[in-house]
Amino acid sequence: DAGITQSPRHKVTETGTPVTLRCHQTENHRYMYWYRQDPGHGLRLIHYSYGVKDTDKGEVSDGYSVSRSKTEDFLLTLESATSSQTSVYFCATQRGPRGVPGQPFMNTEAFFGQGTRLTVV
Amino acid sequence: KNEVEQSPQNLTAQEGEFITINCSYSVGISALHWLQQHPGGGIVSLFMLSSGKKKHGRLIATINIQEKHSSLHITASHPRDSAVYICAVNNAGGTSYGKLTFGQGTILTVHP
């Protein structure tokens, strides 16, 4: 298994406070993702990173920001936590596409962290 | 309508039974992933495939690109197979490598 560590694993916080979740990987994977998992919605992409300092928004990015200052760490910040952000958050990584020039690249396997259960009260 | 649909949503089986979970998708894809999530646990990748069939132990995954359909089979099911099985796809094209679109998951319970 890829070495992906999420911290904290559990957190309870109050509405309006900032919260930062950390994803740390030891695999030197280029691509990193933050997803949230909610009943009835499944997993949805919040933000992703395609390299150091290179990030972009996913489908549910409002209220979240990310930073990636080095390959191994991808931080997710809830700027002012709301009850709607109560969820389980998963970090994922992928090594990056592989293939030969001129040919469609081949996807690589996705690896997931253990998840962070966040409760906003 | 979701881009990725799984069926059934819930599945109960007796130990030893052959199990099939289905996944249909409505977009062009470059790869399809089958994932496993145990209660309260993390998510583990079982298979990634873009064509044909893959086998790992008692698990078999198949994909039919023309029909936009994939199946996950478990032979000789065991209570430890009880988990949520999630189908996810990488959309073809675009510039955003690796982003996954997920199905809702299938909750599998295998009774001894």
Side-chain angles (χ1 to χ4, degrees), chain A residues 107-110, chain B residues 3-6 21-35 45-52 54 61-65 68-72 86-92 100-101 103:
Chain A
N107 286 90
T108 53
E109 187 179 3
Chain B
E3 291 183 346
V4 182
E5 296 276 357
Q6 289 185 234
I21 300 171
N22 296 299
C23 176
S24 296
Y25 52 91
S26 57
V27 295
I29 69 168
S30 56
L32 183 143
H33 303 250
W34 281 104
L35 310 169
S45 175
L46 297 175
F47 296 103
M48 183 192 69
L49 64 167
S50 54
S51 66
K54 287 190 176 181
T62 65
I63 188 168
N64 185 316
I65 296 295
K68 295 185 175 179
H69 181 269
S70 175
S71 293
L72 176 68
I86 303 168
C87 172
V89 300
N90 290 115
N91 289 33
L100 292 170
T101 302

Side-chain angles (χ1 to χ4, degrees), chain A residues 36 62-64 78-87 89 118 120:
Chain A
R36 60 178 289 176
D62 287 349
Y64 301 95
L78 288 64
E79 293 140 10
S80 177
T82 68
S83 58
S84 65
Q85 294 176 311
T86 292
S87 186
Y89 292 84
L118 176 68
V120 183

Side-chain angles (χ1 to χ4, degrees), chain A residues 9 31 33 35 37 40-43 45 48 90 94 96-97 105-110 112-114, chain B residues 30-31 33 35 37 40-46 48 86 90 95-100 102-104:
Chain A
R9 292 291 313 279
Y31 295 84
Y33 311 85
Y35 295 96
Q37 186 178 39
H41 291 280
L43 284 144
L45 180 66
Y48 65 100
F90 285 96
Q94 286 182 278
F105 66 77
M106 294 176 66
N107 286 90
T108 53
E109 187 179 3
F112 290 80
Q114 287 295 100
Chain B
S30 56
H33 303 250
L35 310 169
Q37 184 177 24
I43 298 170
V44 175
S45 175
L46 297 175
M48 183 192 69
I86 303 168
N90 290 115
T95 59
S96 304
Y97 171 79
K99 292 191 299 180
L100 292 170
F102 297 85
Q104 297 287 346

Side-chain angles (χ1 to χ4, degrees), chain A residues 42 70 82 89 95 100 111-113:
Chain A
K70 46 187 178 178
T82 68
Y89 292 84
R95 184 182 67 201
V100 298
F111 296 92
F112 290 80

Side-chain angles (χ1 to χ4, degrees), chain A residues 52-85:
Chain A
V52 174
K53 297 192 189 314
D54 292 323
T55 65
D56 205 350
K57 296 178 180 180
E59 61 179 300
V60 290
S61 60
D62 287 349
Y64 301 95
S65 62
V66 290
S67 66
R68 191 167 178 202
S69 59
K70 46 187 178 178
T71 299
E72 55 265 37
D73 288 327
F74 192 32
L75 303 180
L76 175 70
T77 297
L78 288 64
E79 293 140 10
S80 177
T82 68
S83 58
S84 65
Q85 294 176 311

